[in-house]
Amino acid sequence: MNSNVIPASALIPSFTLPTKQVFSPSATANLLSQERTIDAFNMLCATENQHLYLAEYFGCNRKRTIESLVEQHGEFPKVSLILNSDKQAKWQAETSEGPVLAVKQHNYQYLSGTIRKTDLIGRYDPISDHYEPGLFASCHCLFICADSLWKREPLWDLLLETLDKQSYLAHSKLPTLPLQCKIILIGSSHQYGSCWLGEPSFSRHFPLLGELINEMDLTEHSIIDYCQWLAGIFTDLNVKLDSDALTLLLQFSAKLADHQQRLSLMSTNIEHLLAQAKAYAKSEQITEQALAQSIDMSNQRHNASERLSEQNFDDLFINLPTQDEVVGQINGLTVIENAEFSYGEPARITASVHYGDGEVADIERKSELGGNIHAKGMMILSACLYRIFGKDAPLHLNANIVFEQSYQEIDGDSASLAEYCCLISAISEKPINQSLAATGAIDQFGNVQAIGGVNEKIEGFFKLCKRRGLTGNQGVIIPCSNMQQLNLHQDVINAVNDGLFTLYQVKHIDEAVEILMQTPAGDADENNQFPDDSLYGLVQSRLESLAGYQDEEERSFFGRLIDKLRFSS
């Protein structure tokens, strides 16, 4: 078996589930992989005048995270805000005597949306001489949505001033009230960085950062730990999963994490999927079939642009052959990303070569349709070509490489492997098998490096081939370093199992060109010469021809006459 061929067993992560294991939710389970945040919260509760910024991720369930952080910490001391004999407000043990202004009634509160000043400091009725404490006084920990607070600039200034003075004035007829409340702002990491740099007092008041992690690593935690985390979601939604459905959910989670050895902690995504599966199942017991239907229908609700793209290929508006062999042409793979959905789309890449000064021209860049990273990939491609064939003399060729029928900006270096293979084909005049597509980035030494969106790219080309009819010759070449990201649709796995579609992994450009052109790349000798019948030997011969280096029998009559006269003299 070809060592580059990827077996079907490696195309999707596999999980071993415990038999008859009962999973139950807990605060510890809900905070899976959040050791840094737990430490930051415990430090918050153990120190004075230090507050916390909680940097969340997309898909985080704030409510569950907040509740679990407070619960895992344990009980807070019972204290009251007492008015002493000097008419000063002091926080003391709840059993202390004296007029009570406020009592810590809540371990925590969470503020978001429309926040008012009275929510924080409370309100005083001078007629009844009654003070209704705000959240500064009535709770131990106050969680505040950073976005909601920053929309009200006066409240942001009030918070910073309160933290500066460690006290606040609720009303002119009341004494200054001391602050004994831990403030936890919740927002993005980007917001934290902006405040740290832009607000001088922010770093002084919020030295503690709790950065939530959006995935769990299976090398650090077990499947059982993750299932305990899932139990919190199951309890909230009142659902149960059979073992096959649970396995499918784990595979879905791994796809969210884009790694076979990591599982996603994006709970809202999983909650939405399970709620829809519950509706399809019309029962609390979710089967594999109901969950699979939920996944498929969720994709279908978001794939309108993908369907339009497929129609363009099916109607032959976009020319992209998937059979026969063509010189200087290859099927590359791209990913189209929308806000909430991404999909793979094949792209036809062509190359042409002619005599010149050694420039490999990127038409996308020259037409201002190529991004900076794509331009960098093209420069690396040129460097790689010169490393192999231009060690001793300059290359006397110009090459043009382009994404055909592309009308939007292209960026990224994931097409550099395909572009290199296309260029080698154009120089050597060796045709490329159009049944294969390739994706991968390369370095100056010809190593093939990982790219993003590998699953979407494979599935995009597979869908095109399936609609046209699988022949058994079609397939995709990917970097070996992307193997751990593979998490493909069952249709792809079935086709690979049946020998109708093939996936190849490569570590070096030489492996890719050999698969695509069915010719050995060749090894250079001590004089940096490749065998004549090898692929690189054909490239070398063409380059020498462009440079004007010809064999003796091809030299002109005038050249041979000059040599004879020189010998006779």
Side-chain angles (χ1 to χ4, degrees), residues 75-89:
E75 288 296 320
F76 289 86
K78 298 179 179 180
V79 292
S80 301
L81 187 60
I82 307 296
L83 200 62
N84 63 16
S85 57
D86 297 330
K87 300 300 182 181
Q88 292 181 335

mmCIF file of all heavy atoms in Angstrom, residues 75-89:
data_model
loop_
_atom_site.group_PDB
_atom_site.id
_atom_site.type_symbol
_atom_site.label_atom_id
_atom_site.label_comp_id
_atom_site.label_asym_id
_atom_site.label_seq_id
_atom_site.Cartn_x
_atom_site.Cartn_y
_atom_site.Cartn_z
ATOM 1 N N GLU A 75 -18.620 29.222 50.830
ATOM 2 C CA GLU A 75 -19.388 30.264 51.497
ATOM 3 C C GLU A 75 -18.561 31.528 51.716
ATOM 4 O O GLU A 75 -17.359 31.466 51.966
ATOM 5 C CB GLU A 75 -19.899 29.757 52.848
ATOM 6 C CG GLU A 75 -21.024 28.731 52.738
ATOM 7 C CD GLU A 75 -22.276 29.319 52.117
ATOM 8 O OE1 GLU A 75 -22.604 30.479 52.433
ATOM 9 O OE2 GLU A 75 -22.913 28.621 51.305
ATOM 10 N N PHE A 76 -19.242 32.664 51.644
ATOM 11 C CA PHE A 76 -18.623 33.947 51.954
ATOM 12 C C PHE A 76 -19.024 34.355 53.373
ATOM 13 O O PHE A 76 -20.092 33.964 53.865
ATOM 14 C CB PHE A 76 -19.089 35.015 50.955
ATOM 15 C CG PHE A 76 -18.533 34.839 49.573
ATOM 16 C CD1 PHE A 76 -19.174 34.007 48.648
ATOM 17 C CD2 PHE A 76 -17.367 35.481 49.182
ATOM 18 C CE1 PHE A 76 -18.671 33.841 47.368
ATOM 19 C CE2 PHE A 76 -16.858 35.312 47.907
ATOM 20 C CZ PHE A 76 -17.499 34.498 47.006
ATOM 21 N N PRO A 77 -18.205 35.162 54.048
ATOM 22 C CA PRO A 77 -18.539 35.567 55.423
ATOM 23 C C PRO A 77 -19.781 36.459 55.456
ATOM 24 O O PRO A 77 -20.040 37.222 54.528
ATOM 25 C CB PRO A 77 -17.290 36.333 55.864
ATOM 26 C CG PRO A 77 -16.649 36.801 54.605
ATOM 27 C CD PRO A 77 -16.924 35.721 53.598
ATOM 28 N N LYS A 78 -20.552 36.347 56.534
ATOM 29 C CA LYS A 78 -21.738 37.170 56.708
ATOM 30 C C LYS A 78 -21.351 38.482 57.380
ATOM 31 O O LYS A 78 -20.884 38.487 58.518
ATOM 32 C CB LYS A 78 -22.779 36.422 57.542
ATOM 33 C CG LYS A 78 -23.266 35.134 56.887
ATOM 34 C CD LYS A 78 -24.286 34.403 57.748
ATOM 35 C CE LYS A 78 -24.782 33.141 57.056
ATOM 36 N NZ LYS A 78 -25.781 32.408 57.890
ATOM 37 N N VAL A 79 -21.532 39.562 56.682
ATOM 38 C CA VAL A 79 -21.151 40.882 57.201
ATOM 39 C C VAL A 79 -22.274 41.881 56.950
ATOM 40 O O VAL A 79 -23.128 41.683 56.075
ATOM 41 C CB VAL A 79 -19.846 41.395 56.547
ATOM 42 C CG1 VAL A 79 -18.642 40.564 56.968
ATOM 43 C CG2 VAL A 79 -19.981 41.410 55.024
ATOM 44 N N SER A 80 -22.251 42.960 57.744
ATOM 45 C CA SER A 80 -23.262 44.009 57.624
ATOM 46 C C SER A 80 -22.577 45.366 57.603
ATOM 47 O O SER A 80 -21.478 45.546 58.157
ATOM 48 C CB SER A 80 -24.236 43.953 58.808
ATOM 49 O OG SER A 80 -24.884 42.710 58.882
ATOM 50 N N LEU A 81 -23.220 46.319 56.990
ATOM 51 C CA LEU A 81 -22.736 47.693 56.950
ATOM 52 C C LEU A 81 -23.396 48.431 58.112
ATOM 53 O O LEU A 81 -24.599 48.714 58.093
ATOM 54 C CB LEU A 81 -23.086 48.346 55.609
ATOM 55 C CG LEU A 81 -22.509 49.739 55.351
ATOM 56 C CD1 LEU A 81 -20.990 49.726 55.389
ATOM 57 C CD2 LEU A 81 -22.990 50.276 54.007
ATOM 58 N N ILE A 82 -22.589 48.745 59.130
ATOM 59 C CA ILE A 82 -23.083 49.301 60.382
ATOM 60 C C ILE A 82 -22.747 50.782 60.461
ATOM 61 O O ILE A 82 -21.660 51.213 60.053
ATOM 62 C CB ILE A 82 -22.480 48.570 61.590
ATOM 63 C CG1 ILE A 82 -22.700 47.053 61.476
ATOM 64 C CG2 ILE A 82 -23.047 49.105 62.900
ATOM 65 C CD1 ILE A 82 -24.140 46.638 61.502
ATOM 66 N N LEU A 83 -23.659 51.575 61.010
ATOM 67 C CA LEU A 83 -23.413 52.988 61.273
ATOM 68 C C LEU A 83 -22.940 53.097 62.722
ATOM 69 O O LEU A 83 -23.704 52.869 63.668
ATOM 70 C CB LEU A 83 -24.696 53.788 61.059
ATOM 71 C CG LEU A 83 -24.539 55.285 60.821
ATOM 72 C CD1 LEU A 83 -23.740 55.552 59.550
ATOM 73 C CD2 LEU A 83 -25.918 55.946 60.696
ATOM 74 N N ASN A 84 -21.657 53.437 62.923
ATOM 75 C CA ASN A 84 -21.111 53.453 64.280
ATOM 76 C C ASN A 84 -21.465 54.750 65.010
ATOM 77 O O ASN A 84 -22.171 55.612 64.497
ATOM 78 C CB ASN A 84 -19.600 53.205 64.270
ATOM 79 C CG ASN A 84 -18.838 54.305 63.541
ATOM 80 O OD1 ASN A 84 -19.375 55.398 63.300
ATOM 81 N ND2 ASN A 84 -17.591 54.015 63.193
ATOM 82 N N SER A 85 -20.935 54.874 66.208
ATOM 83 C CA SER A 85 -21.267 56.032 67.044
ATOM 84 C C SER A 85 -20.771 57.336 66.462
ATOM 85 O O SER A 85 -21.293 58.412 66.787
ATOM 86 C CB SER A 85 -20.680 55.835 68.448
ATOM 87 O OG SER A 85 -19.263 55.633 68.363
ATOM 88 N N ASP A 86 -19.771 57.277 65.609
ATOM 89 C CA ASP A 86 -19.249 58.490 64.973
ATOM 90 C C ASP A 86 -19.976 58.799 63.667
ATOM 91 O O ASP A 86 -19.533 59.625 62.874
ATOM 92 C CB ASP A 86 -17.753 58.330 64.688
ATOM 93 C CG ASP A 86 -16.941 58.172 65.957
ATOM 94 O OD1 ASP A 86 -17.360 58.725 66.987
ATOM 95 O OD2 ASP A 86 -15.908 57.468 65.903
ATOM 96 N N LYS A 87 -21.095 58.097 63.452
ATOM 97 C CA LYS A 87 -21.874 58.261 62.231
ATOM 98 C C LYS A 87 -21.075 57.917 60.966
ATOM 99 O O LYS A 87 -21.273 58.474 59.899
ATOM 100 C CB LYS A 87 -22.412 59.690 62.115
ATOM 101 C CG LYS A 87 -23.324 60.113 63.251
ATOM 102 C CD LYS A 87 -24.560 59.207 63.323
ATOM 103 C CE LYS A 87 -25.502 59.664 64.451
ATOM 104 N NZ LYS A 87 -26.704 58.776 64.549
ATOM 105 N N GLN A 88 -20.153 56.974 61.122
ATOM 106 C CA GLN A 88 -19.383 56.472 59.990
ATOM 107 C C GLN A 88 -19.828 55.036 59.687
ATOM 108 O O GLN A 88 -20.122 54.259 60.595
ATOM 109 C CB GLN A 88 -17.882 56.512 60.288
ATOM 110 C CG GLN A 88 -17.306 57.904 60.396
ATOM 111 C CD GLN A 88 -15.827 57.882 60.665
ATOM 112 O OE1 GLN A 88 -15.294 56.917 61.207
ATOM 113 N NE2 GLN A 88 -15.138 58.957 60.280
ATOM 114 N N ALA A 89 -19.830 54.716 58.396
ATOM 115 C CA ALA A 89 -20.254 53.381 57.980
ATOM 116 C C ALA A 89 -19.059 52.432 57.968
ATOM 117 O O ALA A 89 -18.003 52.758 57.404
ATOM 118 C CB ALA A 89 -20.897 53.431 56.603
#
